Each structure stands twice: as C-alpha cells, then as structure tokens.
Amino acid sequence: MLTSPQKFVIILTDGGDVLLFSKYKKDDIMYYYTKLYGHEDNEHYSLEAIYNTDSQYNILLSERSNGKSYALKKYLLLKAYYFDREFVYVRRRDTDITTASVRDWLADMPIDEYTNGEYTNVVVYQGDIYFGYIDNDGKICRGKKMASTIPVNTYGKYKSRAYPKADDIVYEEFITDSVYLYDEVTSFLNLVSTVARDRDIKVWMLGNKISQICPYIEEWSLTNALTQKPGSLDTYKFKSTIDGKETTTLITVENCTPRTHKSRMFFGKMAENIDGGKWEGEVKAMPRPSLDLEKYINLYEVVIEEGSFHFVAQLLFNKETSGQILYVYPFTGNRVIRRHITTEFSESPWYSQRFKEDIPAEVTMRRLLLDNKVCYSHNLCGNNFQQMLMNRKGGF
C-alpha cells in the first residue's frame, strides 16, 4: 500500500486492486474501508449501515464483545493513515484515560498490516495518540498523529484548543452501571462543541447494555432505545433555528445484532446477555419477596419518579415474622396513588423531593432502603431502581 500526502492516495489491496482517489473525500471512506478490510473476519458487525444514515450522532448498543468497537477502530485508523484525518477519544473521567488504557484499547488492531509495515504500534504522548515505529536502535518513536484524548469531567481544560483535523469523536462506554457525572450530557455537548466548532462531524457513542438508566437516552428522548429490536436502526430528527435558519440534527441508535459466540465459557443467566443481547438488568438476579404478595399487609405506598422511570414503593408487613420490607415495582399509571417523590416541581402537598421526616411510614421506608431490605417484582425493575438510587441527586 502506498500513500502520497499531496493530490492522490494510491492503495494496493490484498486482492491486487489499485485504488486511486484524489485528496480526502468523506463519501469515499466506507467504499475504501470495505475494499481494504472487507477480507477480515468481522462478520458479526458492520459499520456501514449506521454510517450511511449520515447522522451527526451515532449510538451503538450491544452486548459485550460483539465487534462494534473493533469495526469502528478500523474505520478511524483508515481515516488517520490514508486520509490524514484525526479523531478524539473520549471517556467519562480523566482516570479512565491513561497511557496504558489507551494502548490497551488499540491493542487488538494490526497496525503493521493496516500501514503496510510503516508503523507497528501505538504511542501515547501528553494526551495525544500517534502511530509508532521502532527505529534501528530499538527505540519506540512517534509517527503520524491519529487522535487526541479528552475526558468529559475535565473538558473545560481543552476549550482553547483547536481540532481542525478531527472529524470523529468516539465516546467509549458512555453507559455505566455506576454513577454519571453531574449534568453530564451538557458537559459532553460542550466537549463536542469544542471539537466541532462550526463544522459537522460524526460522534460515535458505544455502550454495552448494562443499565437502562442513562441520561443521554433520557434527555435526548430516544424513546425506542430500550425496547429496540436487535439489528435495527432508529433515527431521531431534532430541528433547531440558528441565525434564522432551520437546521436538523440526526441521532441514530443501532441495537447491534447479537454475536454468536463459539466459546463454551458462557452459561447460565448471563449467557442471555452475552449471547442473546438482553440488557444485563434483565438477567442479573434481584431479591424477591419470600411470600406471595397477598400474604403481606400493605401499610403505605408512594410513587418514586426519576425522569421517565416511575416506581411504586410499598411498605409491606409480614404477619408471620413481624418483619417489614420495601417492595418495588414499575408504576404504569393504572392506579391512583397520591403520594409522589419526585425532583419535578409541583405545588401539590403530596409531592416532595424526599421522604418526609414527620410521616413515620416514610421514615421506616428510608431506613429499609439504607438497610437494603428491598425486594422487586422482577430483575430489570430492581437493577433500574438501584441504578436510579446511585444517580439521584440529593438522595431520599
């Protein structure tokens, strides 16, 4: 494979085809991507369908290790090496972006093959990522730059920098089963603004299906993302008016087709997530009541709201043991429950942000939460509720 930094790029494929095209053209990328790397065994995921939606934001959801990250990295390396374009690698916190973690992220890429032996590895230096090679003295040296790194939690440090060659932003693991940053979506969009300036670029957001509680899905009203069928794409259109002109931003969500694993290392309930593409919350076991519900006495109940997630929490009394539990199940709106705990504003005296200290039943419910004496109607409800507890501002 040969490259020229001037007017033309000449590529000799494994099949002997000579590809010749002039300068950098965005529309050429997928064509040459397929020509160059179509021979590789990446049948489990192809980037082409979502790329062709021409969306500014591209969200890839899947189980772990289905090949989405590998496919995207091939695309990024093609643009970096042959087209002299760069990308920005994003993680949630600065502690997630270390020299070792970035090298590990690219460790499965055959750099020497992709660059016809010109480069053999990756070098990370002062937050930037370079193609690397080993000189005659055995020293690892920096070659062409391929990317910059920016953590969301400290994006403000990078506001004054320019990224004129960066056409792609990659946010790996944007879904977490832990705690999101405060007002994270706004911080991330400010980061995108820092990179894009007045250009249209592509933002790639890769998430494993580990938790349905996600501020990006919530704030961008990606209504079908949680129930989308495997292998399908949904595109959302958001219209804005800038300087008197109407613009449209496209966000496409792909629920990637589950990969068929040949390994026999996956078994039990978690195999339904790894092999079947289910959300982990559907199969991760949660406590259930020890008795049938009709054998408990329902002493008190509230609706707990957080965004589009609404739960009923009941204070149940066990007549046989005199014990108490908090029982949680999804609220569908089919019943009238006056008492609501919500962060949304309301003048109603029945609505508040936290349990009330002057109501004994609610004091008990808070204690049961702290003591982890909580049971759930099903696994997904339990995992969503616990994730909501971790991320709720101000607690209960």
Side-chain angles (χ1 to χ4, degrees):
M1 302 177 188
L2 304 173
T3 64
S4 166
Q6 303 300 321
K7 295 182 178 179
F8 298 101
V9 177
I10 302 173
I11 302 178
L12 179 64
T13 71
D14 287 352
D17 298 325
V18 176
L19 308 180
L20 175 65
F21 53 99
S22 58
K23 296 184 179 179
Y24 164 74
K25 293 182 179 179
K26 181 178 68 173
D27 295 339
D28 288 339
I29 292 294
M30 275 295 109
Y31 174 74
Y32 292 102
Y33 173 91
T34 303
K35 282 286 187 180
L36 281 172
Y37 306 132
H39 66 283
E40 291 191 358
D41 182 19
N42 192 35
E43 61 187 28
H44 305 105
Y45 179 72
S46 170
L47 201 66
E48 191 168 1
I50 192 168
Y51 180 90
N52 288 336
T53 65
D54 202 26
S55 300
Q56 287 84 6
Y57 291 81
N58 304 270
I59 298 177
L60 309 179
L61 303 177
S62 75
E63 83 284 6
R64 291 182 174 93
S65 302
N66 84 313
K68 64 184 185 298
S69 181
Y70 190 87
L72 181 59
K73 286 182 286 188
K74 289 197 300 183
Y75 157 83
L76 297 170
L77 292 177
L78 166 67
K79 290 183 70 172
Y81 183 71
Y82 291 106
F83 292 84
D84 198 27
R85 306 306 295 176
E86 298 174 6
F87 64 93
V88 174
Y89 177 63
V90 174
R91 296 296 297 268
R92 178 163 287 106
R93 295 176 175 82
D94 50 352
T95 52
D96 298 327
I97 303 181
T98 62
T99 297
S101 66
V102 174
R103 282 202 302 253
D104 288 345
W105 181 62
L106 290 166
D108 58 346
M109 306 309 294
I111 302 295
D112 54 345
E113 179 183 339
Y114 287 2
T115 64
N116 199 31
E118 182 176 354
Y119 299 111
T120 57
N121 52 15
V122 170
V123 175
V124 182
Y125 179 72
Q126 294 186 346
D128 293 328
I129 309 173
Y130 300 83
F131 289 104
Y133 64 94
I134 301 176
D135 65 13
N136 295 332
D137 297 325
K139 181 181 178 181
I140 299 177
C141 302
R142 282 181 281 145
K144 180 188 293 189
K145 181 182 173 183
M146 70 170 78
S148 303
T149 63
I150 304 179
V152 180
N153 70 323
T154 59
Y155 78 92
K157 296 179 180 180
Y158 302 83
K159 284 184 177 180
S160 61
R161 301 186 186 182
Y163 301 87
K165 286 188 174 184
D167 291 342
D168 298 270
I169 294 175
V170 180
Y171 190 175
E172 276 276 9
E173 299 183 12
F174 81 97
I175 295 178
T176 180
D177 57 0
S178 184
V179 180
Y180 289 91
L181 303 174
Y182 176 74
D183 201 14
E184 179 173 323
V185 177
T186 299
S187 296
F188 178 65
L189 290 178
N190 281 324
L191 184 158
V192 172
S193 175
T194 295
V195 177
R197 302 297 184 185
D198 59 352
R199 302 176 298 133
D200 267 9
I201 63 175
K202 281 191 175 293
V203 176
W204 304 90
M205 303 175 69
L206 284 68
N208 295 322
K209 295 162 69 173
I210 55 178
S211 172
Q212 292 190 331
I213 302 292
C214 176
Y216 296 92
I217 293 175
E218 183 77 30
E219 294 191 29
W220 293 347
S221 300
L222 307 179
T223 53
N224 296 327
L226 303 182
T227 56
Q228 199 172 322
K229 292 182 179 179
S232 64
L233 292 89
D234 277 347
T235 298
Y236 302 79
K237 297 181 180 180
F238 298 88
K239 295 187 180 298
S240 305
T241 301
I242 302 176
D243 295 332
K245 295 181 179 180
E246 188 177 83
T247 63
T248 300
T249 300
L250 301 181
I251 301 178
T252 294
V253 180
E254 180 174 6
N255 186 2
C256 304
T257 302
R259 176 179 179 178
T260 302
H261 288 275
K262 298 177 181 178
S263 172
R264 293 177 293 177
M265 300 306 296
F266 308 110
F267 63 94
K269 291 183 177 181
M270 286 310 296
E272 296 181 39
N273 169 260
I274 296 171
D275 284 334
K278 288 187 175 182
W279 290 86
E280 280 192 17
E282 296 180 75
V283 296
K284 184 178 178 182
M286 288 285 113
R288 304 289 177 88
S290 59
L291 303 175
D292 293 336
L293 289 178
E294 58 267 19
K295 294 183 179 180
Y296 290 93
I297 298 176
N298 182 10
L299 301 177
Y300 192 81
E301 62 186 5
V302 302
V303 174
I304 298 177
E305 303 176 356
E306 189 69 17
S308 62
F309 287 86
H310 298 177
F311 305 91
V312 177
Q314 295 180 326
L315 177 60
L316 300 185
F317 177 74
N318 187 330
K319 294 180 290 184
E320 297 179 6
T321 65
S322 297
Q324 293 175 318
I325 62 169
L326 199 65
Y327 177 66
V328 177
Y329 64 91
F331 178 59
T332 61
N334 293 330
R335 297 177 52 228
V336 176
I337 300 177
R338 289 192 301 177
R339 180 73 175 103
H340 283 238
I341 297 178
T342 176
T343 54
E344 297 296 322
F345 173 78
S346 174
E347 294 182 351
S348 170
W350 294 100
Y351 285 63
S352 67
Q353 292 194 24
R354 299 174 183 83
F355 288 116
K356 291 187 176 181
E357 296 181 357
D358 58 347
I359 300 179
E362 295 191 18
V363 173
T364 300
M365 294 176 88
R366 182 189 288 113
R367 175 179 58 79
L368 292 173
L369 270 178
L370 293 174
D371 290 344
N372 200 28
K373 294 183 179 296
V374 187
C375 295
Y376 303 95
S377 59
H378 54 272
N379 291 335
L380 185 59
C381 172
N383 282 283
N384 287 342
F385 186 79
Q386 290 190 2
Q387 177 77 353
M388 181 270 294
L389 289 179
M390 286 192 288
N391 283 278
R392 194 175 193 272
K393 305 300 182 292
F396 287 97

